[in-house]
Each structure stands twice: as C-alpha cells, then as structure tokens.
C-alpha cells in the first residue's frame, strides 16, 4: 500500500479511484504491523527514546489513514454487497484489534438505514399514493 494513498486519505483528498487501487490484503498486512508498532510505542519503557518519540506523529498519521481507508472500504463493500471488500476491511479491523467496535458500528448503520427506509415506505402519504 503506497504512502501516497495513505497521505491522500489522511488529507481528505483521496478519490474513488485512489481507494480502488488500495489492496485490502496489503492494507491488512500494514494494519498488523501498525498494531504491533503502536503497542510497542505505548510501552512505558519506550518513552523518552528520541528515535521512537520522533516517529510517534508519523505512526499516528499512518494509523489514522489505515483506519479511514478500511472504514471506506467496509462501507463500499457493504453498499455493493461485495463480500471480498467487506471481509478484507474486517480483517484490517481485526488486525488493529478494533473488530468488535467496527462491526457493531457497521451493524448499527445498516439497522438505521433499514429503519429509515421502512418508516418512509409506510408513511401514510406514500401508502395513499398506492
């Protein structure tokens, strides 16, 4: 996964074409490595080490970009009913140890959309028009 795509995601300038280029397998590998790095950086023994401290902002930036990109891929996959994209995005969240939170949020989003559509379908004026 290119740093350019991650940079575009972080800056909010990534286009749909940029997101299509993102390989979820590579993103899942990056997420696994990222999680390990983040965990190591949180270790109290790593504080005060100049080399580590200098990289904290970079790691945070890349972490945010990976999370945003995986979230976008999950939303796209769910909207298109694309099992490969959904599975790949969920693998990223699993590797980041965020799977329960992200799946709950995704399910809540789907339930909310279904409830809105059901409510709008059964509005009296819509039923009267039938």
């Amino acid at each position: 996964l290119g740093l350019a795509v991650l940079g575009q995601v972080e800056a909010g300038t990534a286009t749909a074409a940029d997101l299509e280029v993102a390989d979820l397998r590579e993103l899942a590998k990056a997420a696994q490595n990222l999680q390990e790095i983040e965990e190591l950086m949180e270790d109290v023994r790593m504080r005060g080490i100049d080399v580590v401290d200098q990289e904290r902002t970079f790691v945070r930036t890349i972490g945010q970009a990976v999370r945003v990109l995986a979230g976008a891929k999950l939303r796209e996959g769910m909207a298109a009913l694309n099992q490969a994209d959904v599975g790949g995005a969920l693998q990223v969240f699993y590797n980041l140890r965020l799977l329960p939170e992200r799946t709950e949020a995704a399910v809540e989003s789907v339930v909310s959309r279904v409830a809105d559509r059901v409510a709008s379908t059964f509005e009296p004026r819509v039923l009267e028009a039938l």
Side-chain angles (χ1 to χ4, degrees), residues 48-102:
I49 299 173
D50 292 339
V51 174
V52 174
D53 290 342
Q54 292 171 2
E55 297 299 323
R56 287 187 194 281
T57 301
F58 175 74
V59 170
R60 242 181 267 125
T61 300
I62 294 301
Q64 182 62 27
V66 166
R67 288 167 177 84
V68 167
L69 187 54
K73 285 293 202 175
L74 179 59
R75 283 187 301 279
E76 283 178 14
M78 289 178 65
L81 301 176
N82 183 326
Q83 187 176 0
D85 282 353
V86 171
L90 292 176
Q91 183 66 51
V92 171
F93 291 128
Y94 174 82
N95 290 348
L96 292 170
R97 297 189 179 156
L98 296 173
L99 186 60
E101 298 92 358
R102 295 301 175 115

